[in-house]
């Protein structure tokens, strides 16, 4: 009061002076399904002035009370199953069961605190391990997750011909060695004849596509691929893609983190970007032919149906046609999975698809509760893509950092070379995901197998495991570890 009297004497307090009222009013978002959580500030003004008085400056203005306001108080936080357990257990937290408005909360055991602030529940439900990290997370690990659902979608030309969206180093800076594109072609639509500076590996996600190409020796190639099949075009090799009758969607992986779908070489632009005189000479035709070519790129555009009989589109010269080890496709959908406890795996690498000389991939199915075992890749970063389900990955980065990221269908993951990691199914459906490496052979170091094949005495002296634990370690690579589909059960039973 002494301070205020001084100000009053100095004429620095407003004439009308009562209890300080909050300048912001908070509207509660009462939506039971979440969305943007209140409080959301709204300014109210009676005078029309946009700026407040200089009397509001610190040291002059009335101070707020130290207690009595309630905007930061969160009553009865609603904790989900596993959230009260020891934070180092790092149980997966299913925030979908958290009840609005008292959950989800960024709390684990004694760690963290409630969140009274502006928030969007959907991010927290999708990323519980970012919002309430396991206690084992530590230090700084560059972001390793990009949802393609946050990428700009570039529509094709013409009527509903398709679209493409991409993940590259611009949105995921840690992803330096590989980039990805998700592309949709409507029935009979084309991805325009084009080529690029990077090599392109593709997995068909839905529908079927006709691919056509030619190499440096004038050997041509045409083939049809369907969901689960793969194509590969080396850097600079020109190609075309046309959706068959049902349309298609496919995933492209490039061997350059800076690849951009906006920067491909296009047939239309090639024609437009040299003098007509040159093209008339090059194509040995009349100059008027050049007046009829499109004056802009077609990119993705509607087309006429490809003939069902592919031989009608088989054009060969003296260079012949490419097939077998020189062919640009692999009918991976026809390869059986290797089934094991907890899931299944199949591998495609240059051992059986030699043209894709540096692309090695695994398609992995994880049953609920199961986990792609802790491992790392010796020479390559890993680019991964989730086709189904929900999962989490913890990346350990030397010397003492780790961070856990959550993934759902359509998300891209990126794991640096040599960094150990696992992929755990955190949902109730099978997880299906793709791992892509820049390597001549798909390989990894299995952490548990390494410990099993290290002299027991060394493991015991280092990690203080009992003889029984060491004897139980697998001398064969397991790839997948089964687990209880109830991911919080371990808090009660102590067993996975
Ligand atoms: C990718 O682009 C960034 C920024 O321009 C550059 O620093 C980096 O060297 C590029 N990486 C490659 C592999 O070209
Ligand atoms: C295309 O024709 C060549 C022979 O010229 C043949 O070897 C090849 O199998 C044909 N490809 C297709 C897809 O029909
Ligand atoms: C093997 O796993 C695949 C993929 O999960 C599944 O579709 C198939 O039915 C399994 N085969 C057997 C014999 O269990
Ligand atoms: C090693 O493990 C035993 C239990 O097997 C425990 O009693 C002991 O404290 C551990 N030693 C260290 C150094 O943590
Ligand atoms: C999982 O296990 C916990 C601990 O036993 C139990 O409280 C919870 O109800 C279980 N959840 C489901 C979905 O069965």
């Amino acid at each position: 009061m002494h301070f205020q009297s001084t100000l009053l004497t100095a004429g620095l307090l407003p004439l009308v002076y009562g209890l300080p009222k909050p300048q912001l009013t908070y509207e509660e978002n009462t939506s039971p399904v979440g969305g943007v959580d209140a409080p959301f500030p709204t300014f109210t003004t009676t005078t029309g002035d946009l700026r407040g008085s200089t009397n509001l400056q610190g040291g002059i203005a009335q101070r707020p009370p130290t207690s009595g306001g309630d905007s930061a108080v969160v009553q009865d936080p609603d904790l989900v199953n596993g959230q009260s357990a020891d934070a180092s257990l790092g149980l997966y937290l299913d925030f979908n069961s958290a009840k609005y408005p008292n959950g989800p909360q960024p709390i684990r055991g004694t760690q963290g605190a409630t969140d009274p602030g502006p928030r969007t529940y959907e991010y927290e439900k999708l990323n519980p391990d970012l919002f309430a990290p396991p206690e084992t997370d530590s230090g700084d690990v560059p972001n390793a997750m990009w949802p393609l659902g946050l990428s700009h979608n570039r529509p094709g030309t013409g009527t509903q011909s398709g679209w493409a969206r991409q993940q590259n180093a611009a949105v995921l800076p840690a992803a330096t060695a590989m980039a990805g594109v998700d592309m949709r072609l409507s029935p009979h639509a084309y991805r325009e004849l084009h080529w690029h500076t990077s090599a392109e590996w593709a997995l068909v996600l839905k529908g079927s596509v006709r691919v056509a190409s030619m190499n440096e020796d004038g050997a041509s190639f045409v083939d049809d691929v369907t969901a689960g099949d793969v194509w590969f075009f080396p850097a600079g090799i020109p190609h075309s893609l046309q959706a068959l009758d049902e349309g298609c969607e496919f995933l492209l992986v490039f061997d350059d983190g800076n690849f951009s779908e906006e920067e491909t070489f296009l047939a239309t632009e090639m024609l437009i970007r040299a003098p007509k005189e040159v093209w008339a000479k090059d194509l040995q035709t009349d100059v008027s032919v050049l007046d009829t070519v499109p004056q802009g790129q077609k990119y993705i555009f509607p087309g006429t149906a490809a003939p069902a009989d592919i031989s009608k589109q088989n054009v060969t010269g003296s260079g012949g046609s490419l097939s077998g080890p020189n062919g640009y496709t692999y009918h991976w959908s026809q390869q059986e999975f290797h089934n094991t406890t907890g899931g299944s795996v199949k591998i495609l690498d240059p051992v059986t698809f030699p043209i894709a000389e540096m692309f090695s991939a695994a398609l992995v199915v994880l049953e609920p509760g199961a986990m792609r075992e802790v491992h790392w890749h010796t020479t390559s970063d890993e680019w991964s893509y989730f086709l189904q389900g929900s999962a989490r990955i913890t990346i350990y980065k030397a010397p003492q950092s780790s961070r856990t990221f959550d993934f759902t269908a359509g998300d891209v993951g990126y794991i640096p070379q040599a960094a150990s990691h696992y992929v755990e199914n955190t949902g109730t459906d099978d997880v299906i995901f793709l791992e892509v490496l820049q390597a001549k052979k798909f390989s990894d170091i299995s952490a548990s197998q390494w410990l099993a094949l290290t002299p027991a005495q060394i493991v015991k002296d280092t990690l203080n495991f009992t003889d029984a634990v060491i004897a139980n370690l697998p001398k064969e690579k397991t790839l997948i570890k089964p687990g209880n589909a109830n991911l919080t059960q371990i808090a009660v039973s102590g067993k996975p």
Side-chain angles (χ1 to χ4, degrees):
M1 268 301 132
H2 172 73
F3 178 68
Q4 281 166 13
S5 317
T6 313
L7 291 178
L8 200 53
T9 318
L12 287 174
L13 276 189
L15 286 178
V16 182
Y17 176 74
L19 267 179
K21 287 197 175 126
Q23 242 205 319
L24 304 174
T25 58
Y26 295 95
E27 284 174 0
E28 295 296 329
N29 174 0
T30 54
S31 161
V33 292
V36 178
D37 183 29
F40 194 88
T42 51
F43 285 87
T44 54
T45 169
T46 47
T47 63
D49 289 341
L50 290 171
R51 290 177 188 78
S53 158
T54 51
N55 290 337
L56 298 179
Q57 291 168 348
I60 301 172
Q62 169 76 351
R63 294 192 183 87
T66 54
S67 65
D70 68 352
S71 64
V73 174
V74 176
Q75 303 284 0
D76 306 322
D78 182 28
L79 302 186
V80 301
N81 222 0
Q83 215 169 345
S84 309
D86 190 300
S88 69
L89 264 179
L91 301 177
Y92 179 74
L93 304 177
D94 180 4
F95 283 148
N96 288 303
S97 63
K99 287 184 194 55
Y100 173 90
N102 300 345
Q105 298 297 345
I107 289 175
R108 265 185 196 273
T110 56
Q111 270 200 341
T114 56
D115 180 358
R119 43 204 286 220
T120 299
Y121 291 115
E122 298 307 323
Y123 291 123
E124 296 153 9
K125 290 177 181 173
L126 284 170
N127 303 286
D129 290 292
L130 292 181
F131 191 54
E135 192 179 23
T136 43
D137 275 15
S138 159
D140 196 19
V141 173
N143 181 39
M145 195 277 269
W146 179 258
L148 282 168
L150 287 184
S151 290
H152 164 77
N153 229 343
R154 179 180 173 190
T157 59
T159 303
Q160 292 193 4
S161 55
W163 47 256
R165 53 187 179 176
Q166 66 185 1
Q167 162 279 315
N168 56 23
V171 294
L172 190 56
T176 53
M178 284 168 273
V181 169
D182 173 22
M183 188 175 290
R184 162 69 162 158
L185 299 180
S186 295
H188 312 142
Y190 291 100
R191 169 67 170 92
E192 181 182 340
L193 289 167
H194 73 287
W195 71 99
H196 25 74
T197 54
S198 336
E200 166 183 315
W201 187 98
L203 175 69
V204 183
L205 298 171
K206 300 274 182 186
S208 300
V209 201
R210 181 160 297 169
V211 301
S213 184
M214 183 202 79
N215 74 3
E216 302 93 316
D217 301 323
S220 62
F221 182 78
V222 60
D223 196 15
D224 291 344
V225 282
T226 194
D229 290 346
V230 166
W231 74 71
F232 176 80
F233 294 115
I237 294 294
H239 48 281
S240 82
L241 308 165
Q242 184 179 20
L244 297 178
D245 295 350
E246 310 290 308
C248 61
E249 181 174 348
F250 47 81
L251 184 73
L252 305 170
V253 189
F254 297 90
D255 61 355
D256 174 7
N258 285 339
F259 175 85
S260 174
E261 182 61 19
E262 313 287 333
E263 289 166 14
T264 62
F265 296 90
L266 300 168
T268 49
E269 294 284 353
M270 175 181 77
L271 268 287
I272 300 167
R273 301 299 155 206
K276 291 179 183 173
E277 177 271 330
V278 168
W279 277 115
K281 191 180 291 174
D282 195 77
L283 302 174
Q284 292 287 293
T285 188
D286 204 87
V287 145
S288 64
V289 168
L290 282 313
D291 295 334
T292 61
V293 301
Q295 289 305 297
Q297 54 176 265
K298 301 190 86 169
Y299 183 50
I300 290 169
F301 65 101
T304 48
D309 178 3
I310 195 171
S311 67
K312 290 190 174 139
Q313 292 198 315
N314 189 3
V315 191
T316 50
S318 60
S321 68
L322 296 165
S323 69
N326 301 314
Y328 291 133
T329 55
Y330 189 89
H331 294 264
W332 205 18
S333 64
Q334 296 173 37
Q335 179 185 326
E336 298 272 330
F337 275 94
H338 164 76
N339 293 22
T340 179
T341 319
S344 28
V345 183
K346 62 178 172 178
I347 285 170
L348 176 62
D349 61 17
V351 174
T352 52
F353 188 37
I355 196 85
E357 55 180 357
M358 285 304 283
F359 277 80
S360 292
L363 192 62
V364 182
V365 180
L366 299 174
E367 291 165 10
M371 182 174 91
R372 172 81 170 88
E373 67 178 349
V374 178
H375 67 281
W376 62 91
H377 302 285
T378 53
T379 59
S380 174
D381 291 359
E382 172 183 325
W383 187 94
S384 49
Y385 176 81
F386 287 81
L387 287 84
Q388 180 185 296
S390 60
R392 65 176 182 170
I393 294 176
T394 299
I395 296 172
Y396 157 55
K397 178 186 155 212
Q400 48 192 20
S401 299
S402 66
R403 189 163 296 179
T404 306
F405 301 90
D406 301 285
F407 299 84
T408 53
D411 291 350
V412 169
Y414 199 87
I415 295 142
Q417 179 236 343
S420 71
H421 58 282
Y422 64 86
V423 184
E424 182 182 29
N425 186 340
T426 54
T428 50
D429 291 335
D430 283 358
V431 160
I432 305 177
F433 76 100
L434 177 75
E435 301 178 32
V436 183
L437 310 178
Q438 289 298 300
K440 290 183 190 303
K441 192 175 172 216
F442 188 90
S443 70
D444 62 41
I445 294 288
S446 153
S448 61
Q449 185 186 27
W450 173 46
L451 296 177
L453 296 177
T454 298
Q457 178 195 333
I458 299 176
V459 177
K460 193 170 181 175
D461 287 352
T462 309
L463 298 175
N464 193 28
F465 287 166
T466 63
D467 294 332
V469 168
I470 293 170
N472 192 45
L473 292 169
K475 292 195 174 64
E476 306 306 320
K477 193 190 299 254
T478 45
L479 293 167
I480 293 171
K481 310 284 189 188
N484 194 326
N486 181 336
L487 294 173
T488 57
Q489 181 65 231
I490 194 171
V492 180
S493 64
K495 293 191 193 314

